[in-house]
Amino acid sequence: MKTDMSHPELEFFNKLSGRLEIELTVPTERIGNLSNVRTTPEAEIKSLRLVATVFNRNLGTFRELTLDELQSVAFLASQIALQGESGGVIMHEAPNGQCFTVQDLLNAVAETERQTRGKSTWFDGVDVHHIFFEGIHQGDGVWEIHWGS
């Protein structure tokens, strides 16, 4: 995966596996015979959290991040503008005023989605299908959060 050359510290962060867990006011529905899911237009997000893991290629399994990994530097800047699935941009300040740790950046990604995901659209409702974290990538003045299905 290509990491922006001005932020090589993102390499580990962008290799993380993550999944948004979204709790809604109404259940999701399958779309036809596909494994895709959607929600109705009136559904609202009750809660949202990002669960991140590391994939161990040797064992073919996922594991939780260690404390050292969570505390390692993920982004060398005092602030970051993150663009969520809906296109909304949220500015985040580094808690220490200098840089973001992996945990700080995971929190920023989750907070961005908490504030913006409700404005996303997927088959006339909130996008509850594109929930697999695929890293952050530099866009036009912001860092775009990429989500897969």
Side-chain angles (χ1 to χ4, degrees), residues 51-143:
V51 177
T53 56
V54 175
F55 183 67
N56 183 326
R57 291 191 189 280
N58 295 335
L59 299 176
T61 59
F62 293 90
R63 65 167 175 80
E64 291 183 11
L65 281 80
T66 66
L67 186 56
D68 284 344
E69 288 168 337
L70 289 168
Q71 293 175 346
S72 66
V73 173
F75 190 73
L76 287 170
S78 62
Q79 57 184 329
I80 187 170
L82 291 175
Q83 182 175 350
E85 181 69 16
S86 72
V89 176
I90 305 295
M91 182 63 72
H92 300 275
E93 302 288 330
N96 67 8
Q98 297 176 355
C99 64
F100 290 82
T101 64
V102 168
Q103 184 65 69
D104 296 336
L105 202 49
L106 287 170
N107 292 345
V109 167
E111 185 57 31
T112 298
E113 291 301 320
R114 225 176 260 109
Q115 291 186 38
T116 64
R117 181 62 71 135
K119 297 175 187 119
S120 66
T121 305
W122 174 256
F123 285 92
D124 298 323
V126 173
D127 186 348
V128 293
H129 183 70
H130 298 94
I131 58 170
F132 294 98
F133 181 69
E134 295 181 346
I136 63 172
H137 305 277
Q138 201 162 25
D140 189 22
V142 299
W143 287 85

